[in-house]
Amino acid sequence: NDDDEAADDSHDSQAGDNDDDEDDDDGSSYRKWKTVILFYSFLSDEKRKDASTTAHNLKTLLADLLQREEITLATFKILVTIVDGCAAQYRCGSVLYQLCNLAKAFNIVIERIVNAPGHGKCIVDSQNGGDKTLLDIFFNCLVRNPEEIGEGIKHVLAHTHVDGEGEVSLAEICYNILNDPDRTRGCQSNKNRSKWRKIFERRYFKRGVDEAPGNGAKWLAKKSDFRKETKNSVHFTYYYRIDPQLLRHTGKMVFACRRVPCFCKGCLERLELPVDQRYVGPCNTCEYWEIFEKPNGTGYNDYNVVELIQNTKEFDEEDFADGNEFTLDTIGFVMSLQAKKGQIGAYVVDDENYDYYLVEFDSDPYQAERTETITLDGESFDVREGEWICKGRWLDRLPNTTKWWYKTPQKCIVRLQVVIHPDLKLMPLSDSNQVHNSAGVQVRQMAMENETFKIRDADHEYLLEEAINRNVLDMEYDDEFESESLSGEEDESAHPDDIDEDESEEEDEGSEVE
């Protein structure tokens, strides 16, 4: 086993502690944040290093930071990754597809900066070198007779198989050596060394064989989406930006890219524009526009917005399904951090009469202990071992309405991987918030007899859009489905719940006169 490390990542996170405010040259004050460097390393017995293993490692890294509450979803908005030019791991269509899924699941912007060819060594390489030197020391002292080893002493067996225990996992051996608590946080006895050390903590994870989904479902960057220029393709761009707002706006798996990254004032201000203007047109506010400007008014460093499409020659449907399951598990984990007892959430369903269900959570999220079918109040719910679930009670929609819901006593189990909003703020029935007259007298009476709420128009539209996007994970992605599900909708008459408030008031006044 030449190298058990499947991937190595270091992460710079901004801690909550900060120094005093300092004055800038122009008199304005700014806050100087404390930067904490954490070193992450992933060990595995398999040799794979591809888009799926890299995505799995990145998800594990983010999940660890969130579970430790070192970052929160409320404030975590952007992830910047600086990588080398390895296409299979960091800059091909399949990698960008995985980043799109992670960006949607965590609702964050992911920026990928690729180092230029022939880059030097960085802090990650130095730490890997130290780890490998330590492992060499242990592996050079092989133990042939385990019974001669004292209790609690770390050792490496000379055998790859142990009678009665099967094959020895070299990744697990390396993990146990490297994850020693005495070395993960460095020297603690010397105060000066502890105070000035560069890396705050080393964190190691073991990834099982085939734990990451297969990489047989290949994706390509659509060539026609790149501007017609010399050497303008995914392999000649060194900056990629995965924006969840852009993904929702287009309804497709797309990314924005430029030849080189630039974070000058003009380029940063451009990223604050509405999403439909953010990546369109020449980047003429860039500090280096004079260098990139072309005679026709465009620039060599303008954005390309590129769609990801299936590689029909290499597309394994089984691996595609495994990848979707991985993405849904990631979504389930993210929702488990946000769903709380007493909140009202929405989730997608396979029901022709409903676009989504609403539920009031009766418990905090927890992971299923085993694969089973749970029966509550006559309803059966299938759960899978390890997935995040939550107990709840359904809300049902009032007849003849689209946005009015009332609470029911029906208990249910919600799989958090299908939740599209974990904390909806509904408007209760009141004198100023009444069910529309056209719903009928019986429906209005029913609303008053139950605990009834109306969902806000913006939330309703968001849930409809997100339900379509989420269903893509459960279906085969192809051009036919894309054209049917993501294209324009058919015109239909407006439901009374969808009429503007001013129009609704005029209509009510007219009905009273009659």
Side-chain angles (χ1 to χ4, degrees):
N1 194 357
D2 299 329
D3 184 1
D4 290 303
E5 294 176 1
D8 302 291
D9 298 281
S10 65
H11 177 79
D12 291 355
S13 63
Q14 292 185 336
D17 299 333
N18 60 285
D19 300 329
D20 294 336
D21 291 355
E22 299 185 13
D23 292 333
D24 208 344
D25 295 337
D26 59 0
S28 61
S29 63
Y30 67 94
R31 179 167 292 177
K32 185 178 180 181
W33 291 95
K34 176 183 177 183
T35 299
V36 177
I37 298 181
L38 306 172
F39 176 77
Y40 281 79
S41 188
F42 299 84
L43 312 173
S44 179
D45 286 311
E46 62 181 351
K47 293 291 188 179
R48 285 177 54 200
K49 292 185 179 183
D50 52 40
S52 296
T53 58
T54 304
H56 188 281
N57 295 340
L58 186 56
K59 179 237 179 171
T60 304
L61 182 153
L62 295 176
D64 181 68
L65 291 170
L66 288 166
Q67 288 175 326
R68 294 171 183 260
E69 297 184 351
E70 293 173 339
I71 59 175
T72 63
L73 288 172
T75 58
F76 181 37
K77 300 301 180 184
I78 185 168
L79 171 68
V80 180
T81 61
I82 303 175
V83 299
D84 60 30
C86 176
Q89 290 180 269
Y90 302 125
R91 63 184 309 196
C92 65
S94 296
V95 170
L96 294 167
Y97 178 82
Q98 295 287 359
L99 291 181
C100 287
N101 283 329
L102 288 174
K104 289 197 296 185
F106 288 95
N107 194 30
I108 58 171
V109 173
I110 299 180
E111 291 186 343
R112 171 140 296 178
I113 300 173
V114 181
N115 277 321
H119 69 89
K121 296 298 182 181
C122 65
I123 189 172
V124 178
D125 301 296
S126 69
Q127 295 305 304
N128 285 337
D131 287 349
K132 292 174 183 177
T133 299
L134 178 63
L135 293 175
D136 284 342
I137 295 174
F138 275 87
F139 276 89
N140 287 334
C141 303
L142 299 177
V143 177
R144 297 187 178 277
N145 299 311
E147 61 274 6
E148 298 178 0
I149 296 297
E151 184 178 354
I153 298 178
K154 295 182 178 66
H155 61 277
V156 178
L157 297 177
H159 314 286
T160 58
H161 288 77
V162 177
D163 293 341
E165 298 182 12
E167 188 172 353
V168 174
S169 170
L170 296 180
E172 185 172 357
I173 292 174
C174 294
Y175 172 81
N176 292 332
I177 294 172
L178 296 173
N179 204 40
D180 188 331
D182 293 334
R183 73 176 296 274
T184 54
R185 281 182 174 257
C187 177
Q188 300 289 326
S189 58
N190 189 306
K191 292 184 178 180
N192 286 330
R193 292 181 63 185
S194 177
K195 178 180 179 180
W196 296 107
R197 66 174 179 265
K198 184 75 171 178
I199 295 179
F200 178 72
E201 185 178 0
R202 299 178 179 87
R203 296 174 181 173
Y204 298 91
F205 292 86
K206 178 180 177 294
R207 192 188 68 244
V209 176
D210 295 331
E211 185 175 338
N215 197 47
K218 303 293 185 182
W219 296 83
L220 300 172
K222 196 173 182 180
K223 292 183 179 180
S224 59
D225 287 344
F226 287 93
R227 293 186 307 278
K228 303 300 181 182
E229 296 175 0
T230 303
K231 294 185 177 180
N232 189 21
S233 68
V234 71
H235 297 297
F236 293 99
T237 51
Y238 292 83
Y239 175 71
Y240 309 92
R241 197 169 201 267
I242 318 300
D243 190 336
Q245 292 184 6
L246 182 63
L247 294 171
R248 287 193 290 267
H249 175 70
T250 61
K252 302 176 182 179
M253 302 298 271
V254 296
F255 64 93
C257 62
R258 317 174 70 177
R259 291 185 181 273
V260 293
C262 182
F263 299 100
C264 70
K265 182 179 179 181
C267 289
L268 290 178
E269 289 177 348
R270 184 182 185 84
L271 297 178
E272 300 298 325
L273 295 174
V275 67
D276 58 343
Q277 305 172 28
R278 196 172 300 168
Y279 307 105
V280 179
C283 298
N284 50 17
T285 59
C286 177
E287 182 179 338
Y288 305 100
W289 176 247
E290 292 183 1
I291 299 174
F292 294 119
E293 185 179 9
K294 298 166 62 176
N296 62 2
T298 62
Y300 287 105
N301 204 33
D302 292 345
Y303 279 102
N304 296 292
V305 177
V306 184
E307 182 184 358
L308 293 165
I309 57 176
Q310 289 182 7
N311 183 350
T312 55
K313 296 180 180 179
E314 296 183 62
F315 199 85
D316 189 301
E317 295 292 345
E318 185 175 345
D319 284 350
F320 178 56
D322 290 342
N324 284 346
E325 184 177 335
F326 169 75
T327 301
L328 289 171
D329 287 342
T330 304
I331 294 172
F333 165 75
V334 173
M335 291 300 169
S336 73
L337 301 175
Q338 303 175 77
K340 305 296 180 184
K341 182 178 180 179
Q343 293 178 180
I344 293 179
Y347 64 99
V348 293
V349 291
D350 185 16
D351 188 334
E352 61 182 10
N353 297 318
Y354 290 84
D355 296 303
Y356 53 83
Y357 282 179
L358 295 188
V359 61
E360 181 179 20
F361 297 120
D362 273 353
S363 71
D364 288 333
Y366 62 98
Q367 287 184 283
E369 296 180 355
R370 57 185 176 274
T371 300
E372 61 177 335
T373 299
I374 302 176
T375 302
L376 294 175
D377 292 348
E379 295 282 348
S380 297
F381 305 91
D382 296 329
V383 299
R384 179 170 49 83
E385 180 183 358
E387 72 176 345
W388 287 95
I389 58 177
C390 194
K391 295 179 181 178
R393 295 176 187 270
W394 274 328
L395 279 75
D396 200 1
R397 193 172 59 204
L398 281 176
N400 303 328
T401 68
T402 60
K403 300 171 187 173
W404 284 94
W405 299 75
Y406 66 95
K407 291 185 178 181
T408 73
Q410 175 66 52
K411 296 180 180 179
C412 63
I413 296 291
V414 182
R415 304 170 67 197
L416 295 185
Q417 66 181 23
V418 297
V419 172
I420 51 181
H421 199 305
D423 188 16
L424 284 170
K425 305 301 182 184
L426 304 181
M427 299 182 293
L429 182 71
S430 64
D431 293 339
S432 59
N433 185 37
Q434 290 287 325
V435 178
H436 203 278
N437 287 335
S438 63
V441 176
Q442 292 182 344
V443 172
R444 291 166 64 88
Q445 182 65 30
M446 181 180 179
M448 289 187 288
E449 293 174 354
N450 292 276
E451 198 172 353
T452 307
F453 304 87
K454 182 181 181 182
I455 187 170
R456 290 179 169 84
D457 293 347
D459 289 338
H460 177 68
E461 295 300 325
Y462 170 81
L463 295 179
L464 292 177
E465 180 181 357
E466 194 62 21
I468 294 175
N469 293 334
R470 187 67 62 83
N471 283 334
V472 174
L473 295 174
D474 295 325
M475 301 181 183
E476 182 176 314
Y477 189 99
D478 53 30
D479 293 337
E480 180 181 356
F481 170 75
E482 181 183 350
S483 62
E484 291 178 359
S485 299
L486 304 180
S487 59
E489 300 177 355
E490 295 181 1
D491 294 334
E492 56 183 31
S493 57
H495 191 278
D497 286 351
D498 300 326
I499 298 176
D500 292 339
E501 294 183 1
D502 294 340
E503 297 179 8
S504 177
E505 291 175 0
E506 293 176 1
E507 195 170 307
D508 289 342
E509 292 174 359
S511 61
E512 290 175 2
V513 171
E514 292 175 0

